[in-house]
Amino acid sequence: MSSSKCCISPWRAWLFAVFVFGAFCRAYVAWRRWSAASLVALPLLGQLLAFTVMHDASHNALSTRRWANVLGGYCGLTFTSPHEWTLQHVLSHHLYPNVKGMDPDVVHVDRYATRMLPANVFPKWCDVLAIWAVALPVGLSWLAPVRVLLRGVYPGTTAEGRHVNPARTALHVAGRLAHLYAFFAWPF
């Protein structure tokens, strides 16, 4: 099979993905060396990987080869895990788009509508920054995985995760622990 037939995404998208992944790795190394610029670059590049490569891979839109889509699903590890992303995004958001109580993304609309920080001290854009810089990483990296493991359901959804076999669950937990170590323990 030729390379043009095995890839769904055009070569420009693959070039972009490789560039962003390389920039992310470079920013991570710089962050480990206490670079101030990497404090801005690392989360932006991590979310860019998640919103492009991981998103497309989770919909099997990156490649016609399953292994490439599975590997691409791990490009969003700084954002969430492939298991939780499947429960939240693929099985809940796309099955029930904009249905309150079934689409977890509807929760975010309510969150953006209400102020998190005192309005007389901080402008509205600081709320967005607080959500993306603090609430999202803590919620998706620490709280959501615990809730999924304990309840078997992603918060704010009806998608159950209990059908996942124990070996995949163990691999998922090991991956989340490795992520927490690499980004929250080892650097300090």
Side-chain angles (χ1 to χ4, degrees):
M1 180 180 287
S2 73
S3 62
S4 63
K5 292 185 181 181
C6 74
C7 298
I8 295 173
S9 294
W11 67 269
R12 286 180 213 80
W14 282 90
L15 185 63
F16 175 78
V18 168
F19 173 77
V20 173
F21 184 75
F24 175 81
C25 291
R26 176 130 169 65
Y28 183 80
V29 169
W31 177 65
R32 290 279 299 125
R33 294 179 180 158
W34 299 94
S35 163
S38 68
L39 289 175
V40 174
L42 192 63
L44 294 175
L45 291 166
Q47 289 181 4
L48 193 57
L49 276 175
F51 293 148
T52 57
V53 178
M54 182 181 140
H55 180 269
D56 291 352
S58 73
H59 291 295
N60 295 313
L62 194 61
S63 174
T64 58
R65 299 183 187 219
R66 180 165 164 39
W67 66 266
N69 288 313
V70 169
L71 187 63
Y74 284 90
C75 284
L77 279 179
T78 59
F79 181 69
T80 187
S81 78
H83 173 67
E84 292 154 24
W85 180 259
T86 299
L87 292 174
Q88 185 271 340
H89 185 76
V90 179
L91 295 179
S92 292
H93 171 68
H94 281 292
L95 288 177
Y96 305 103
N98 302 322
V99 177
K100 195 166 190 141
M102 298 183 86
D103 179 357
D105 288 353
V106 172
V107 173
H108 303 307
V109 172
D110 294 339
R111 191 172 290 145
Y112 285 125
T114 59
R115 292 299 310 255
M116 291 178 56
L117 302 171
N120 59 341
V121 179
F122 299 99
K124 179 67 176 164
W125 66 266
C126 287
D127 282 356
V128 174
L129 182 63
I131 289 170
W132 286 101
V134 178
L136 188 114
V138 170
L140 288 178
S141 294
W142 297 358
L143 301 177
V146 171
R147 287 190 226 163
V148 169
L149 287 173
L150 294 177
R151 298 181 189 160
V153 177
Y154 192 88
T157 72
T158 56
E160 293 193 15
R162 297 191 192 280
H163 65 279
V164 178
N165 69 39
R168 289 197 68 185
T169 300
L171 186 62
H172 166 70
V173 170
R176 297 315 294 152
L177 291 174
H179 167 261
L180 291 173
Y181 178 75
F183 286 92
F184 298 102
W186 182 41
F188 310 104

mmCIF file with all atom_site columns, all heavy atoms in Angstrom, residues 68-87:
data_model
loop_
_atom_site.group_PDB
_atom_site.id
_atom_site.type_symbol
_atom_site.label_atom_id
_atom_site.label_alt_id
_atom_site.label_comp_id
_atom_site.label_asym_id
_atom_site.label_entity_id
_atom_site.label_seq_id
_atom_site.pdbx_PDB_ins_code
_atom_site.Cartn_x
_atom_site.Cartn_y
_atom_site.Cartn_z
_atom_site.occupancy
_atom_site.B_iso_or_equiv
_atom_site.pdbx_formal_charge
_atom_site.auth_seq_id
_atom_site.auth_comp_id
_atom_site.auth_asym_id
_atom_site.auth_atom_id
_atom_site.pdbx_PDB_model_num
ATOM 1   N N   . ALA A 1 68 ? -1.391  3.478  13.897 1.00 0.00 ? 68 ALA A N   1
ATOM 2   C CA  . ALA A 1 68 ? -1.033  4.902  13.785 1.00 0.00 ? 68 ALA A CA  1
ATOM 3   C C   . ALA A 1 68 ? -2.042  5.764  14.531 1.00 0.00 ? 68 ALA A C   1
ATOM 4   O O   . ALA A 1 68 ? -1.674  6.741  15.184 1.00 0.00 ? 68 ALA A O   1
ATOM 5   C CB  . ALA A 1 68 ? -0.952  5.317  12.322 1.00 0.00 ? 68 ALA A CB  1
ATOM 6   N N   . ASN A 1 69 ? -3.321  5.406  14.459 1.00 0.00 ? 69 ASN A N   1
ATOM 7   C CA  . ASN A 1 69 ? -4.341  6.151  15.191 1.00 0.00 ? 69 ASN A CA  1
ATOM 8   C C   . ASN A 1 69 ? -4.210  5.940  16.699 1.00 0.00 ? 69 ASN A C   1
ATOM 9   O O   . ASN A 1 69 ? -4.390  6.874  17.475 1.00 0.00 ? 69 ASN A O   1
ATOM 10  C CB  . ASN A 1 69 ? -5.738  5.762  14.713 1.00 0.00 ? 69 ASN A CB  1
ATOM 11  C CG  . ASN A 1 69 ? -6.027  6.319  13.342 1.00 0.00 ? 69 ASN A CG  1
ATOM 12  O OD1 . ASN A 1 69 ? -5.793  7.486  13.073 1.00 0.00 ? 69 ASN A OD1 1
ATOM 13  N ND2 . ASN A 1 69 ? -6.523  5.471  12.456 1.00 0.00 ? 69 ASN A ND2 1
ATOM 14  N N   . VAL A 1 70 ? -3.877  4.701  17.108 1.00 0.00 ? 70 VAL A N   1
ATOM 15  C CA  . VAL A 1 70 ? -3.677  4.436  18.536 1.00 0.00 ? 70 VAL A CA  1
ATOM 16  C C   . VAL A 1 70 ? -2.481  5.232  19.043 1.00 0.00 ? 70 VAL A C   1
ATOM 17  O O   . VAL A 1 70 ? -2.554  5.897  20.083 1.00 0.00 ? 70 VAL A O   1
ATOM 18  C CB  . VAL A 1 70 ? -3.487  2.924  18.793 1.00 0.00 ? 70 VAL A CB  1
ATOM 19  C CG1 . VAL A 1 70 ? -3.007  2.667  20.215 1.00 0.00 ? 70 VAL A CG1 1
ATOM 20  C CG2 . VAL A 1 70 ? -4.780  2.174  18.520 1.00 0.00 ? 70 VAL A CG2 1
ATOM 21  N N   . LEU A 1 71 ? -1.384  5.211  18.293 1.00 0.00 ? 71 LEU A N   1
ATOM 22  C CA  . LEU A 1 71 ? -0.195  5.971  18.682 1.00 0.00 ? 71 LEU A CA  1
ATOM 23  C C   . LEU A 1 71 ? -0.499  7.474  18.707 1.00 0.00 ? 71 LEU A C   1
ATOM 24  O O   . LEU A 1 71 ? -0.100  8.180  19.636 1.00 0.00 ? 71 LEU A O   1
ATOM 25  C CB  . LEU A 1 71 ? 0.953   5.674  17.712 1.00 0.00 ? 71 LEU A CB  1
ATOM 26  C CG  . LEU A 1 71 ? 2.302   6.254  18.074 1.00 0.00 ? 71 LEU A CG  1
ATOM 27  C CD1 . LEU A 1 71 ? 2.805   5.667  19.384 1.00 0.00 ? 71 LEU A CD1 1
ATOM 28  C CD2 . LEU A 1 71 ? 3.302   5.958  16.965 1.00 0.00 ? 71 LEU A CD2 1
ATOM 29  N N   . GLY A 1 72 ? -1.223  7.961  17.715 1.00 0.00 ? 72 GLY A N   1
ATOM 30  C CA  . GLY A 1 72 ? -1.601  9.371  17.682 1.00 0.00 ? 72 GLY A CA  1
ATOM 31  C C   . GLY A 1 72 ? -2.480  9.768  18.855 1.00 0.00 ? 72 GLY A C   1
ATOM 32  O O   . GLY A 1 72 ? -2.446  10.907 19.314 1.00 0.00 ? 72 GLY A O   1
ATOM 33  N N   . GLY A 1 73 ? -3.247  8.809  19.371 1.00 0.00 ? 73 GLY A N   1
ATOM 34  C CA  . GLY A 1 73 ? -4.090  9.074  20.533 1.00 0.00 ? 73 GLY A CA  1
ATOM 35  C C   . GLY A 1 73 ? -3.296  9.419  21.776 1.00 0.00 ? 73 GLY A C   1
ATOM 36  O O   . GLY A 1 73 ? -3.796  10.081 22.678 1.00 0.00 ? 73 GLY A O   1
ATOM 37  N N   . TYR A 1 74 ? -2.054  8.977  21.803 1.00 0.00 ? 74 TYR A N   1
ATOM 38  C CA  . TYR A 1 74 ? -1.210  9.265  22.964 1.00 0.00 ? 74 TYR A CA  1
ATOM 39  C C   . TYR A 1 74 ? -0.519  10.619 22.868 1.00 0.00 ? 74 TYR A C   1
ATOM 40  O O   . TYR A 1 74 ? 0.200   11.002 23.787 1.00 0.00 ? 74 TYR A O   1
ATOM 41  C CB  . TYR A 1 74 ? -0.182  8.152  23.162 1.00 0.00 ? 74 TYR A CB  1
ATOM 42  C CG  . TYR A 1 74 ? -0.816  6.925  23.769 1.00 0.00 ? 74 TYR A CG  1
ATOM 43  C CD1 . TYR A 1 74 ? -1.353  5.934  22.966 1.00 0.00 ? 74 TYR A CD1 1
ATOM 44  C CD2 . TYR A 1 74 ? -0.922  6.791  25.137 1.00 0.00 ? 74 TYR A CD2 1
ATOM 45  C CE1 . TYR A 1 74 ? -1.969  4.828  23.514 1.00 0.00 ? 74 TYR A CE1 1
ATOM 46  C CE2 . TYR A 1 74 ? -1.535  5.691  25.700 1.00 0.00 ? 74 TYR A CE2 1
ATOM 47  C CZ  . TYR A 1 74 ? -2.055  4.708  24.878 1.00 0.00 ? 74 TYR A CZ  1
ATOM 48  O OH  . TYR A 1 74 ? -2.676  3.625  25.428 1.00 0.00 ? 74 TYR A OH  1
ATOM 49  N N   . CYS A 1 75 ? -0.739  11.363 21.811 1.00 0.00 ? 75 CYS A N   1
ATOM 50  C CA  . CYS A 1 75 ? -0.133  12.694 21.673 1.00 0.00 ? 75 CYS A CA  1
ATOM 51  C C   . CYS A 1 75 ? -0.774  13.721 22.593 1.00 0.00 ? 75 CYS A C   1
ATOM 52  O O   . CYS A 1 75 ? -0.263  14.815 22.738 1.00 0.00 ? 75 CYS A O   1
ATOM 53  C CB  . CYS A 1 75 ? -0.210  13.166 20.224 1.00 0.00 ? 75 CYS A CB  1
ATOM 54  S SG  . CYS A 1 75 ? 1.000   12.355 19.181 1.00 0.00 ? 75 CYS A SG  1
ATOM 55  N N   . GLY A 1 76 ? -1.877  13.392 23.196 1.00 0.00 ? 76 GLY A N   1
ATOM 56  C CA  . GLY A 1 76 ? -2.535  14.327 24.090 1.00 0.00 ? 76 GLY A CA  1
ATOM 57  C C   . GLY A 1 76 ? -2.341  14.008 25.557 1.00 0.00 ? 76 GLY A C   1
ATOM 58  O O   . GLY A 1 76 ? -3.134  14.430 26.392 1.00 0.00 ? 76 GLY A O   1
ATOM 59  N N   . LEU A 1 77 ? -1.289  13.256 25.886 1.00 0.00 ? 77 LEU A N   1
ATOM 60  C CA  . LEU A 1 77 ? -1.091  12.837 27.272 1.00 0.00 ? 77 LEU A CA  1
ATOM 61  C C   . LEU A 1 77 ? -0.978  13.994 28.252 1.00 0.00 ? 77 LEU A C   1
ATOM 62  O O   . LEU A 1 77 ? -1.295  13.837 29.419 1.00 0.00 ? 77 LEU A O   1
ATOM 63  C CB  . LEU A 1 77 ? 0.146   11.947 27.392 1.00 0.00 ? 77 LEU A CB  1
ATOM 64  C CG  . LEU A 1 77 ? -0.067  10.495 27.013 1.00 0.00 ? 77 LEU A CG  1
ATOM 65  C CD1 . LEU A 1 77 ? 1.226   9.722  27.156 1.00 0.00 ? 77 LEU A CD1 1
ATOM 66  C CD2 . LEU A 1 77 ? -1.162  9.855  27.827 1.00 0.00 ? 77 LEU A CD2 1
ATOM 67  N N   . THR A 1 78 ? -0.517  15.149 27.805 1.00 0.00 ? 78 THR A N   1
ATOM 68  C CA  . THR A 1 78 ? -0.427  16.274 28.730 1.00 0.00 ? 78 THR A CA  1
ATOM 69  C C   . THR A 1 78 ? -1.802  16.852 29.013 1.00 0.00 ? 78 THR A C   1
ATOM 70  O O   . THR A 1 78 ? -1.988  17.605 29.958 1.00 0.00 ? 78 THR A O   1
ATOM 71  C CB  . THR A 1 78 ? 0.464   17.394 28.167 1.00 0.00 ? 78 THR A CB  1
ATOM 72  O OG1 . THR A 1 78 ? -0.081  17.847 26.933 1.00 0.00 ? 78 THR A OG1 1
ATOM 73  C CG2 . THR A 1 78 ? 1.875   16.911 27.967 1.00 0.00 ? 78 THR A CG2 1
ATOM 74  N N   . PHE A 1 79 ? -2.763  16.489 28.204 1.00 0.00 ? 79 PHE A N   1
ATOM 75  C CA  . PHE A 1 79 ? -4.117  17.017 28.284 1.00 0.00 ? 79 PHE A CA  1
ATOM 76  C C   . PHE A 1 79 ? -5.053  16.030 28.980 1.00 0.00 ? 79 PHE A C   1
ATOM 77  O O   . PHE A 1 79 ? -5.775  16.361 29.882 1.00 0.00 ? 79 PHE A O   1
ATOM 78  C CB  . PHE A 1 79 ? -4.576  17.322 26.859 1.00 0.00 ? 79 PHE A CB  1
ATOM 79  C CG  . PHE A 1 79 ? -5.943  17.896 26.732 1.00 0.00 ? 79 PHE A CG  1
ATOM 80  C CD1 . PHE A 1 79 ? -6.208  19.170 27.170 1.00 0.00 ? 79 PHE A CD1 1
ATOM 81  C CD2 . PHE A 1 79 ? -6.956  17.165 26.150 1.00 0.00 ? 79 PHE A CD2 1
ATOM 82  C CE1 . PHE A 1 79 ? -7.471  19.712 27.040 1.00 0.00 ? 79 PHE A CE1 1
ATOM 83  C CE2 . PHE A 1 79 ? -8.213  17.695 26.015 1.00 0.00 ? 79 PHE A CE2 1
ATOM 84  C CZ  . PHE A 1 79 ? -8.469  18.968 26.458 1.00 0.00 ? 79 PHE A CZ  1
ATOM 85  N N   . THR A 1 80 ? -5.028  14.791 28.539 1.00 0.00 ? 80 THR A N   1
ATOM 86  C CA  . THR A 1 80 ? -5.874  13.734 29.087 1.00 0.00 ? 80 THR A CA  1
ATOM 87  C C   . THR A 1 80 ? -5.331  12.398 28.611 1.00 0.00 ? 80 THR A C   1
ATOM 88  O O   . THR A 1 80 ? -4.354  12.347 27.874 1.00 0.00 ? 80 THR A O   1
ATOM 89  C CB  . THR A 1 80 ? -7.342  13.922 28.657 1.00 0.00 ? 80 THR A CB  1
ATOM 90  O OG1 . THR A 1 80 ? -8.164  12.972 29.332 1.00 0.00 ? 80 THR A OG1 1
ATOM 91  C CG2 . THR A 1 80 ? -7.520  13.768 27.165 1.00 0.00 ? 80 THR A CG2 1
ATOM 92  N N   . SER A 1 81 ? -5.969  11.324 28.992 1.00 0.00 ? 81 SER A N   1
ATOM 93  C CA  . SER A 1 81 ? -5.536  10.007 28.526 1.00 0.00 ? 81 SER A CA  1
ATOM 94  C C   . SER A 1 81 ? -6.432  9.546  27.388 1.00 0.00 ? 81 SER A C   1
ATOM 95  O O   . SER A 1 81 ? -7.591  9.971  27.288 1.00 0.00 ? 81 SER A O   1
ATOM 96  C CB  . SER A 1 81 ? -5.593  8.990  29.659 1.00 0.00 ? 81 SER A CB  1
ATOM 97  O OG  . SER A 1 81 ? -6.925  8.573  29.882 1.00 0.00 ? 81 SER A OG  1
ATOM 98  N N   . PRO A 1 82 ? -5.930  8.671  26.510 1.00 0.00 ? 82 PRO A N   1
ATOM 99  C CA  . PRO A 1 82 ? -6.772  8.179  25.417 1.00 0.00 ? 82 PRO A CA  1
ATOM 100 C C   . PRO A 1 82 ? -8.044  7.493  25.918 1.00 0.00 ? 82 PRO A C   1
ATOM 101 O O   . PRO A 1 82 ? -9.105  7.634  25.319 1.00 0.00 ? 82 PRO A O   1
ATOM 102 C CB  . PRO A 1 82 ? -5.868  7.183  24.688 1.00 0.00 ? 82 PRO A CB  1
ATOM 103 C CG  . PRO A 1 82 ? -4.488  7.636  24.998 1.00 0.00 ? 82 PRO A CG  1
ATOM 104 C CD  . PRO A 1 82 ? -4.551  8.196  26.393 1.00 0.00 ? 82 PRO A CD  1
ATOM 105 N N   . HIS A 1 83 ? -7.960  6.784  27.031 1.00 0.00 ? 83 HIS A N   1
ATOM 106 C CA  . HIS A 1 83 ? -9.132  6.104  27.588 1.00 0.00 ? 83 HIS A CA  1
ATOM 107 C C   . HIS A 1 83 ? -10.202 7.112  28.011 1.00 0.00 ? 83 HIS A C   1
ATOM 108 O O   . HIS A 1 83 ? -11.369 6.993  27.651 1.00 0.00 ? 83 HIS A O   1
ATOM 109 C CB  . HIS A 1 83 ? -8.703  5.240  28.779 1.00 0.00 ? 83 HIS A CB  1
ATOM 110 C CG  . HIS A 1 83 ? -9.837  4.637  29.531 1.00 0.00 ? 83 HIS A CG  1
ATOM 111 N ND1 . HIS A 1 83 ? -10.657 3.673  28.989 1.00 0.00 ? 83 HIS A ND1 1
ATOM 112 C CD2 . HIS A 1 83 ? -10.305 4.873  30.779 1.00 0.00 ? 83 HIS A CD2 1
ATOM 113 C CE1 . HIS A 1 83 ? -11.578 3.330  29.873 1.00 0.00 ? 83 HIS A CE1 1
ATOM 114 N NE2 . HIS A 1 83 ? -11.380 4.046  30.965 1.00 0.00 ? 83 HIS A NE2 1
ATOM 115 N N   . GLU A 1 84 ? -9.793  8.109  28.769 1.00 0.00 ? 84 GLU A N   1
ATOM 116 C CA  . GLU A 1 84 ? -10.752 9.112  29.231 1.00 0.00 ? 84 GLU A CA  1
ATOM 117 C C   . GLU A 1 84 ? -11.275 9.961  28.078 1.00 0.00 ? 84 GLU A C   1
ATOM 118 O O   . GLU A 1 84 ? -12.437 10.348 28.055 1.00 0.00 ? 84 GLU A O   1
ATOM 119 C CB  . GLU A 1 84 ? -10.120 9.995  30.297 1.00 0.00 ? 84 GLU A CB  1
ATOM 120 C CG  . GLU A 1 84 ? -9.855  9.242  31.570 1.00 0.00 ? 84 GLU A CG  1
ATOM 121 C CD  . GLU A 1 84 ? -8.727  9.833  32.365 1.00 0.00 ? 84 GLU A CD  1
ATOM 122 O OE1 . GLU A 1 84 ? -8.428  11.022 32.209 1.00 0.00 ? 84 GLU A OE1 1
ATOM 123 O OE2 . GLU A 1 84 ? -8.128  9.087  33.147 1.00 0.00 ? 84 GLU A OE2 1
ATOM 124 N N   . TRP A 1 85 ? -10.412 10.255 27.107 1.00 0.00 ? 85 TRP A N   1
ATOM 125 C CA  . TRP A 1 85 ? -10.834 11.027 25.941 1.00 0.00 ? 85 TRP A CA  1
ATOM 126 C C   . TRP A 1 85 ? -11.912 10.262 25.170 1.00 0.00 ? 85 TRP A C   1
ATOM 127 O O   . TRP A 1 85 ? -12.887 10.848 24.702 1.00 0.00 ? 85 TRP A O   1
ATOM 128 C CB  . TRP A 1 85 ? -9.635  11.319 25.045 1.00 0.00 ? 85 TRP A CB  1
ATOM 129 C CG  . TRP A 1 85 ? -9.988  12.112 23.837 1.00 0.00 ? 85 TRP A CG  1
ATOM 130 C CD1 . TRP A 1 85 ? -10.163 11.630 22.564 1.00 0.00 ? 85 TRP A CD1 1
ATOM 131 C CD2 . TRP A 1 85 ? -10.220 13.517 23.751 1.00 0.00 ? 85 TRP A CD2 1
ATOM 132 N NE1 . TRP A 1 85 ? -10.484 12.646 21.704 1.00 0.00 ? 85 TRP A NE1 1
ATOM 133 C CE2 . TRP A 1 85 ? -10.525 13.821 22.412 1.00 0.00 ? 85 TRP A CE2 1
ATOM 134 C CE3 . TRP A 1 85 ? -10.193 14.542 24.684 1.00 0.00 ? 85 TRP A CE3 1
ATOM 135 C CZ2 . TRP A 1 85 ? -10.798 15.100 21.987 1.00 0.00 ? 85 TRP A CZ2 1
ATOM 136 C CZ3 . TRP A 1 85 ? -10.465 15.824 24.256 1.00 0.00 ? 85 TRP A CZ3 1
ATOM 137 C CH2 . TRP A 1 85 ? -10.759 16.092 22.925 1.00 0.00 ? 85 TRP A CH2 1
ATOM 138 N N   . THR A 1 86 ? -11.742 8.948  25.051 1.00 0.00 ? 86 THR A N   1
ATOM 139 C CA  . THR A 1 86 ? -12.745 8.134  24.364 1.00 0.00 ? 86 THR A CA  1
ATOM 140 C C   . THR A 1 86 ? -14.074 8.212  25.090 1.00 0.00 ? 86 THR A C   1
ATOM 141 O O   . THR A 1 86 ? -15.123 8.383  24.463 1.00 0.00 ? 86 THR A O   1
ATOM 142 C CB  . THR A 1 86 ? -12.273 6.669  24.248 1.00 0.00 ? 86 THR A CB  1
ATOM 143 O OG1 . THR A 1 86 ? -11.065 6.642  23.489 1.00 0.00 ? 86 THR A OG1 1
ATOM 144 C CG2 . THR A 1 86 ? -13.309 5.808  23.564 1.00 0.00 ? 86 THR A CG2 1
ATOM 145 N N   . LEU A 1 87 ? -14.052 8.093  26.409 1.00 0.00 ? 87 LEU A N   1
ATOM 146 C CA  . LEU A 1 87 ? -15.301 8.179  27.175 1.00 0.00 ? 87 LEU A CA  1
ATOM 147 C C   . LEU A 1 87 ? -15.941 9.563  27.077 1.00 0.00 ? 87 LEU A C   1
ATOM 148 O O   . LEU A 1 87 ? -17.142 9.686  26.874 1.00 0.00 ? 87 LEU A O   1
ATOM 149 C CB  . LEU A 1 87 ? -15.037 7.850  28.651 1.00 0.00 ? 87 LEU A CB  1
ATOM 150 C CG  . LEU A 1 87 ? -14.646 6.411  28.963 1.00 0.00 ? 87 LEU A CG  1
ATOM 151 C CD1 . LEU A 1 87 ? -14.273 6.285  30.430 1.00 0.00 ? 87 LEU A CD1 1
ATOM 152 C CD2 . LEU A 1 87 ? -15.758 5.458  28.604 1.00 0.00 ? 87 LEU A CD2 1
#
